[in-house]
Amino acid sequence: MGHVDGETAVAALGSGRWRAYVSPSWSISGTPNGGYSALPLLRAMGELAGQPDPVSATIHYLRPALGDAAAELTASAVRRGRRTVVVRGELAQDGEARLVATAVFADLATPAGEGPELTLPAPSIPGPDACTPRAELVQGVELALLDRVDVRVYLDATSGRAVVDGWVRFVDDTPPDPLTLVLLTDVFPPSAIAVVGPTGWVPTIELTVHVRRRPAPGWIQARFETDDLHDGRMVESGCLWDETGALVARSRQLGLLRR
Amino acid sequence: MGHVDGETAVAALGSGRWRAYVSPSWSISGTPNGGYSALPLLRAMGELAGQPDPVSATIHYLRPALGDAAAELTASAVRRGRRTVVVRGELAQDGEARLVATAVFADLATPAGEGPELTLPAPSIPGPDACTPRAELVQGVELALLDRVDVRVYLDATSGRAVVDGWVRFVDDTPPDPLTLVLLTDVFPPSAIAVVGPTGWVPTIELTVHVRRRPAPGWIQARFETDDLHDGRMVESGCLWDETGALVARSRQLGLLRR
């Protein structure tokens, strides 16, 4: 079992309760990464749903999660349809709710309809080996999670836009799956750095990820853009593509840029 | 009191419970519009929060709401911070949950930080009087809600993109506010019509709205785009601007295009 699966495993306690251990190995400046801390919760919610793929997952970050600490998870289904199941869940540590999530689980192998298709092609960027390892960017944070994810960043200084492109894969070569794509939407530096410079820690208020296809093994290509920053509140949107160029996930988050 | 306020009013019953009446006047083919049915719930959640503005509101549509019927609302705060309050809520009718929501309430008049700003300018489109009233578009649905909202649509057939532009205001001239912007993100025809033709009813699975600024009185300009439609599941993103050109809300939804 790879690191990401082992370090987001959950143990069912029955009656919609699970127990997990939040590892310190996915932290940014001592706080577990938000994409990472959402994974045990979504994993428990998916077990309850009995459908494999989080086609929509919204996570609200209430308080920082605690690394190297146990977590209590609770989840309940609010709607069991034939093809989709909607589940709400909560991750608590030390008796306090840290994250709440609502997610829609379905089977991406079962089409919901037929007809025309529209997609966003992956932008043309240099390959992973020609991009900058995230560790070499100055962002004002300490990045333990780079022992778990290999993040390569491409910044086009001529664009004038707050865009970060790049590539990501798990360091131990665990292939991405629909659940771990949620994590991979949250491991790049904030795209605001492309226009405002080092940002420090950018707390996420709410993150919504739409998983669109099951990813092929290999690198995930990513693009994130902050096109809307006002009074310290920013909307960042992202796209992930797999190595075949298929659009596999979309993300949008509301975050705080405190400076 | 205008129609939108009167027809989304809630009566507090205490202990995190409210009662509302869902009007049949905001329906599409007999089902209350999703933006409309979310409003009494968000109104109750905002009362509980004690902060005025839904800076992030995520609504999951579990079953169609019922028009001309009472609704039971429940809400609870999962996090009360000094500046933001996170609330979860549920709208039930006939004993069944129809909508669940999670929203972050804050005061848009209080900046969360200072520093650079980024925004999306409103596209240049013809004025409201030069656009097409929504009632004149063939979409294959019956639109009672057009007695409540005046929706003007601009379709640029040369763009090749699934984009719908236009303008909207309440028929009785009620000025828009941060809460009612949520409704206004969901009253345009599905932008997919621009490339696939009449779509019929497009059920929303999940809708997330970020309210960015309090809107000035007058028309709201809107743009919606579906850039990602696969196996009948579509991601549609929207922007709303007020009459001064300020970006006031962003939306993204996962919907089903059944055809």
Side-chain angles (χ1 to χ4, degrees), chain B residues 70-86:
Chain B
E72 315 282 334
L73 315 176
T74 52
S76 60
V78 289
R79 168 74 169 136
R80 282 196 185 275
R82 196 163 45 88
R83 291 178 165 193
T84 61
V85 181
V86 184

Side-chain angles (χ1 to χ4, degrees), chain B residues 8-47:
Chain B
T8 61
V10 298
L13 304 175
S15 307
R17 295 171 55 241
W18 291 258
R19 202 169 165 84
Y21 165 74
V22 177
S23 164
S25 298
W26 301 78
S27 289
I28 298 181
S29 294
T31 295
N33 167 261
Y36 164 69
S37 60
L39 242 57
L41 179 55
L42 292 174
R43 202 177 284 284
M45 293 163 68
E47 278 192 9

Side-chain angles (χ1 to χ4, degrees), chain A residues 170 173-181 184 214-220 242:
Chain A
F170 293 107
D173 277 330
T174 302
D177 65 29
L179 192 69
T180 58
L181 287 178
L184 297 179
R214 294 184 185 164
W219 285 96
I220 294 290
D242 70 13

Side-chain angles (χ1 to χ4, degrees), chain B residues 196-208:
Chain B
V196 310
T199 57
W201 186 50
V202 174
T204 301
I205 303 299
E206 171 258 312
L207 168 67
T208 296

Side-chain angles (χ1 to χ4, degrees), chain B residues 136 167 175 212:
Chain B
E136 293 177 16
W167 303 88
R212 306 293 292 144

Side-chain angles (χ1 to χ4, degrees), chain B residues 92-115:
Chain B
Q93 293 180 292
D94 273 4
E96 287 197 307
R98 309 274 161 174
L99 281 67
V100 292
T102 309
V104 182
F105 290 88
D107 185 344
L108 285 170
T110 304
E114 54 188 34

